[in-house]
Amino acid sequence: MEESQSTAQQFWPTGPEFSYLAGSLAELLDVARREFEHDREVAKASLAAASTILQSEIERHSGAKRSRAAGLVGWQITRVRIFIDKNLHRTIHTRDLSAVARRSPAHFSRSFKLTFGEPPHAYVVKRRLEKACHLMMTSPDSLSEIALRVGFSDQAHLCRLFRQAFGQSPASWRREFEVQ
């Protein structure tokens, strides 16, 4: 029994990082459950978002295990992810992230890419877009308000990056899921 518990601990994170991830997934699944009978498209979008988050977390975690020697260690991953999520509304510099992880900016950038599979800036942009999607599905705020809340300079900035990532504008994506 102890052996299976230690194996499970290797694959499932604990602490603040896990709490944030579990809370986000629970919220998305709750939206899907509530909307299943009323608006299946919103339910599908919530399930798709939850699935994407879970899959990327599984891939990131397994990638971190492979590159642990050169990548960030658990406490650094947790602190960096929490810092990013709490500061999405403002400019996040690599030097800020490297200070949180207690590494030089150059060493941090290499370690971050090994751990997360992408550079820090790309990861921050991805988290901003994920948060924007969540807000578009769950709040009536305008796109310009959402853009500012997640750290984009303006609505045009959000629209340009959203179109690059998803192949359509945020407004058409929002209309497609009938969220106003």
Side-chain angles (χ1 to χ4, degrees):
M1 184 69 165
E2 288 179 26
E3 185 177 323
S4 65
Q5 284 179 338
S6 65
T7 302
Q9 288 171 347
Q10 291 174 356
F11 295 106
W12 296 107
T14 59
E17 178 183 10
F18 179 73
S19 296
Y20 179 79
L21 175 68
S24 297
L25 289 172
E27 188 175 329
L28 285 167
L29 293 172
D30 190 47
V31 168
R33 182 188 53 78
R34 283 193 319 264
E35 293 297 326
F36 187 75
E37 292 300 322
H38 306 291
D39 190 340
R40 288 189 183 239
E41 290 302 314
V42 171
K44 281 173 44 178
S46 290
L47 290 172
S51 176
T52 300
I53 291 169
L54 188 55
Q55 183 61 38
S56 67
E57 185 63 19
I58 289 168
E59 289 170 4
R60 185 198 61 79
H61 191 68
S62 64
K65 290 292 184 190
R66 285 192 304 272
S67 60
R68 180 162 295 238
L72 300 173
V73 294
W75 70 267
Q76 292 169 318
I77 293 168
T78 300
R79 288 185 63 183
V80 166
R81 289 188 74 198
I82 289 171
F83 181 85
I84 289 170
D85 289 339
K86 284 185 177 179
N87 292 283
L88 283 177
H89 63 283
R90 67 177 193 85
T91 302
I92 300 174
H93 297 283
T94 301
R95 69 177 174 266
D96 300 327
L97 297 174
S98 66
V100 168
R102 297 183 186 155
R103 291 207 175 167
S104 71
H107 189 208
F108 170 79
S109 293
R110 284 189 305 274
S111 298
F112 187 98
K113 186 168 183 179
L114 284 170
T115 302
F116 289 90
E118 60 191 339
H121 178 72
Y123 179 82
V124 169
V125 168
K126 183 175 77 174
R127 292 295 299 140
R128 286 185 170 139
L129 289 171
E130 289 170 356
K131 178 85 173 197
C133 287
H134 175 75
L135 291 173
M136 285 189 291
M137 288 177 17
T138 60
S139 88
D141 294 347
S142 69
L143 290 177
S144 60
E145 291 171 320
I146 290 172
L148 295 176
R149 281 181 61 189
V150 300
F152 292 114
S153 56
D154 55 24
Q155 183 177 343
H157 189 203
L158 167 65
C159 291
R160 187 176 78 254
L161 293 174
F162 195 94
R163 187 177 297 278
Q164 286 174 357
F166 300 108
Q168 62 182 336
S169 71
S172 65
W173 184 88
R174 198 177 209 185
R175 278 191 303 272
E176 184 177 315
F177 295 106
E178 299 177 21
V179 177
Q180 298 297 325

